[in-house]
Structure formats: C-alpha cells, structure tokens
Amino acid sequence: MNVQLFNPPNFYYSGLYYRMMPPLGLPIISSVLGKAGHHVEVVDLEALHVSPEDFRDAFAGQKGNWADVIGFTALTVSARGAKDCIKALRSVGFEGRIIVGGSHPSLAPEEALSWGADLVVTGECEGNVVELFEGNQTGIVCGERVAIEDVPAPDWDHHSPKVNSYWGNTALVRPNPGITMWTRGCPFSCIFCANLIFNGQKTRYRPPENIEAELKDLKRHGCKKLYVYDDELVGSRMPDGWMKEVADRIEPMGFEWVTQGRCNKRYITPELMADVKRAGCRTIFWGVESFSEKVLKAVKKHTTTEDIWHTLRVSRDAGIENGVFTMIGNYMETEEDLAITRDAIAKAYQEGIIQYRQTTYCDAMEGTEFAEIQRREGWYHKWTEDDKQQMNNFHGTPTLPANRFEYWMNEFRLACPVGIPV
C-alpha cells in the first residue's frame, strides 16, 4: 500500500512563514507503517511553502500515481490548511481514503470529519494505526497508545524536506538542526496549555538505548545540533539514573542541544544538572510565565517563585544557559503583577542567571481551561489564523486593557534585552 502523509500549510493565511522544526507525529507514523510493509512518504507543505492551490495543481498533475491512502495532521493553527487541502484533493477527483489526526482533530473530531475526511483518529495512535490505514473504517475512532519503549524512532528517510534543512526552533540549534523527543506526557494541567494529547498524564521516559539509536540516525542525516522537544524534559520526577545513563550513551556523540523545562526546587538538583550538561545540553527554556505568586496560582502552574530562583541558579551553576518564557495577559494578572515579573527578570539578567527571554501574550487556545474561563466570564475572543504565533492582536483582559500590552512588552525588553535567538 502506498501512503502519503502531509503537514498542512499555515503561512498562506497568517502571512508568517513558519519553518521551525517538522512535527514528529507523521515520521513516527511513517516508521510504524513502514515496519508493516507499506511505502510511506511524508511531505511538510508548510516547510516547502506549498499553498492549497499549489497542492491541488501538483496533485492533479500526478493522476494515475496517487497514493492509496492520504493522511493529514493538524494543529489548531493549521486546521484551515488541512481543510482546504482535503477539499483540493476531492476537487481534482481523489476518491481514496483520507485520514486525519493530531491535536485539533482530537479536540474537534466532528469538525475534522466535515472537511471531507473518511476517518478521524484522536489521541496517540501507534497501537492501531496500521489496522486503521489498512482497513475501511470510517467516522471517528480513538487511537491506541503503546508502551513508550515501543514507540519507534521517526522515519527521516522518507521525509521532505530533509530534517536537517529546517530553521530550528531557535538559532541556537543551527546549522543542521535535528529534532527528537525523549519523553511523553506532562502531569500538570496549566489552564493555558494547548497540549491536548499529552497534558495531565504521567510523564513516560523512553529507554536510553532507544534515544541513543535515534541520535545515531539523526547524525546519519547530517544533524549537528538538536532541539529536544519535550514539554518539560527536566523538572519532574525522573526514573532513578535515567539521565545519567542517557548522558553516558550520548556524550561521545558530541551533540549540542536545547530543550524546555519546569522550575522545581525538589527535582532540579546539582547532580541532575551536571548529567544534563554532560549529555550536551547548552540551553534550557524554562516555562516561568510570571514571577507573581498570585498569577502562578491562578494559572495552576504548580510552581513558586522559590522554585524559579532555585532552578535558574542551579542550572547556571552547572554551566547551562537559561532562557525564560514569560507571558502578558495571564489570568487575573494586573499591572502590579507585571511589574513584579519585570523587576525579577531585570534582577536575574543582571545577576547573569538568565541569558534569554521570550515574551508572548497568554492566548486562550481552543480546548484549554483558559478558553472555558473566558467564555464563562464573557470576554472570550476566538483565535484566528492571522493572530501570528501569540505575538500580535492582544485583545485585553478584565485586569489588563489591550492598549497596555505594548507598554509592558517594552518593559520586559528593557528588563532583559536579549531575546531568544530566532
């Protein structure tokens, strides 16, 4: 069976060309289907700058060589692209099976089915994806999870463009970046989190030998640096000795990598961070969001300012650069709270314990608790494709007028003038 899997375009609507790193779901599914004997091609339409019209024309020109089954993944940001590409396929006469999955279809499966798909798969699906692609089932079906040790490495041999050709989530991983994920799941449920598949779950850690094998494959594909794209690789309770074994296995490869983490006084220890550094970590971007205790509680961050200061200092003492993610427009956040965060950022920057800062506004993505709170309180603004990566179109909150967003964005820039290199 011939299968094509597509990551849909978003640039066409937003005007923002987004080519950070490829989504991992499609090359992992490609690996699962490939092991079952099927020929699979993965094409990232966003990275290749292919509009729905370009896609339609190119596909029509290949009639007679169409795949047996076509799949799409979709985030909310790319849902319109997926819908328009599916309509384009049907408009040129494609009558084969179309299957969609990903975060947005998991949130709104009936909507995804209305795009013209035959089957919508929700959640993780490595456990039953082969039978779903081989079968004739239609409608909506729940994907089946497999044990973390059974999730295969992504198949980059059949991926276009090449994995090492992306810009990377940050310039810190250029040139020749690769992407990898070492854990799945996050036990927390911050009200703004749009990770609708993995949040609220116990973190599952891949076997170190699987990570080693995957990184050897990335090196074969010309990758020199890595973005370890876990929700929070460090900051939750790890299996005993897990990071030490990872470091023992991958240190000789010489990769330099960047990842994300959670500030936690209990689990961020000098011993852990020494192993993280030894494994090749250059920079960790910490999900700080705010230095206001009131705001941290309101967004259900389960982090305190004591956790944040401890983490930043221990990480920097280990020789790791710290970046902090901060947001403007958090739930219940006032200008007084923003002043607390600004002053803390300035202090941390002056002390040399943070090197980078990124500030966005706290958007209410569909499916999140924050969106439900806004609806309930009567100030919800529906997110649209042209909101451009949470950087523009701040609509204000009951505690922060929209016309104060730029003022506070500039205050944060002055507090730490070094943004995350992009």
Side-chain angles (χ1 to χ4, degrees), residues 86-127:
I86 291 171
K87 288 184 176 180
L89 289 178
R90 295 306 191 196
S91 73
V92 296
F94 180 73
E95 296 179 351
R97 279 168 56 76
I98 298 178
I99 301 175
V100 299
S103 293
H104 190 81
S106 294
L107 167 68
E110 293 287 352
E111 176 193 330
L113 200 62
S114 73
W115 298 342
D118 298 288
L119 181 67
V120 175
V121 184
T122 63
E124 298 179 64
C125 66
E126 288 92 353

Side-chain angles (χ1 to χ4, degrees), residues 78-392:
S78 59
R80 184 176 174 184
K83 176 182 68 175
D84 287 351
C85 284
I86 291 171
K87 288 184 176 180
L89 289 178
R90 295 306 191 196
S91 73
V92 296
F94 180 73
E95 296 179 351
R97 279 168 56 76
I98 298 178
I99 301 175
V100 299
S103 293
H104 190 81
S106 294
L107 167 68
E110 293 287 352
E111 176 193 330
L113 200 62
S114 73
W115 298 342
D118 298 288
L119 181 67
V120 175
V121 184
T122 63
E124 298 179 64
C125 66
E126 288 92 353
N128 59 346
V129 68
V130 173
E131 66 181 77
L132 293 176
F133 271 73
E134 291 178 343
N136 294 308
Q137 189 169 353
T138 59
I140 300 166
V141 66
C142 183
E144 294 179 3
R145 180 196 296 183
V146 298
I148 191 68
E149 58 268 23
D150 294 329
V151 176
D155 170 18
W156 298 116
D157 288 326
H158 302 95
H159 189 281
S160 180
K162 294 181 178 180
V163 63
N164 72 335
S165 68
Y166 283 74
W167 282 103
N169 291 49
T170 165
L172 298 175
V173 296
R174 293 200 290 267
N176 306 116
I179 185 170
T180 177
M181 182 177 284
W182 298 354
T183 72
R184 280 190 178 182
C186 173
F188 303 99
S189 297
C190 302
I191 67 170
F192 54 81
C193 183
N195 187 344
L196 304 176
I197 293 179
F198 292 146
N199 70 0
Q201 297 181 13
K202 181 180 179 181
T203 305
R204 294 168 284 155
Y205 294 81
R206 294 180 63 201
E209 59 269 24
N210 290 16
I211 295 171
E212 178 186 17
E214 181 176 336
L215 266 56
K216 286 180 178 178
D217 187 61
L218 285 169
K219 188 172 282 288
R220 179 176 66 85
H221 282 276
C223 298
K224 297 180 179 179
K225 298 182 180 181
L226 302 172
Y227 199 101
V228 184
Y229 203 22
D230 296 41
D231 274 349
E232 294 167 339
L233 179 63
V234 291
S236 298
R237 184 177 181 178
M238 288 182 176
D240 290 343
W242 182 83
M243 180 54 74
K244 181 182 184 303
E245 184 177 350
V246 170
D248 289 343
R249 287 177 175 273
I250 73 173
E251 182 182 11
M253 297 186 200
F255 275 113
E256 186 178 272
W257 48 273
V258 175
T259 192
Q260 301 171 171
R262 164 174 288 269
C263 297
N264 190 305
K265 184 178 180 181
R266 181 178 181 184
Y267 297 122
I268 301 296
T269 65
E271 294 77 18
L272 170 67
M273 300 313 289
D275 282 331
V276 172
K277 175 64 175 177
R278 185 165 60 87
C281 182
R282 170 182 174 170
T283 309
I284 298 177
F285 300 137
W286 303 97
V288 168
E289 326 311 350
S290 172
F291 278 85
S292 164
E293 295 283 2
K294 184 194 82 178
V295 171
L296 292 172
K297 290 178 182 178
V299 301
K300 299 183 180 179
K301 186 68 183 178
H302 293 284
T303 300
T304 66
T305 54
E306 185 178 4
D307 287 320
I308 296 169
W309 286 109
H310 166 88
T311 296
L312 295 176
R313 290 187 172 117
V314 172
S315 176
R316 193 66 189 127
D317 285 346
I320 296 170
E321 293 180 335
N322 293 318
V324 293
F325 290 140
T326 54
M327 295 194 293
I328 295 173
N330 289 291
Y331 185 46
M332 299 180 66
E333 185 174 60
T334 65
E335 299 203 51
E336 181 180 351
D337 296 309
L338 288 166
I340 291 171
T341 300
R342 174 201 60 197
D343 293 346
I345 291 171
K347 181 176 186 291
Y349 179 66
Q350 290 162 11
E351 289 184 11
I353 61 172
I354 64 171
Q355 285 64 53
Y356 310 108
R357 172 205 50 83
Q358 182 184 78
T359 304
T360 58
Y361 82 85
C362 189
D363 203 359
M365 302 294 286
E366 284 288 353
T368 64
E369 184 179 350
F370 195 27
E372 294 307 311
I373 289 171
Q374 290 187 14
R375 283 194 177 95
R376 187 167 62 245
E377 297 183 356
W379 52 284
Y380 177 71
H381 175 85
K382 183 175 175 58
W383 186 92
T384 60
E385 288 88 352
D386 61 1
D387 277 356
K388 297 185 181 179
Q389 309 303 321
Q390 297 179 278
M391 290 299 293
N392 300 318

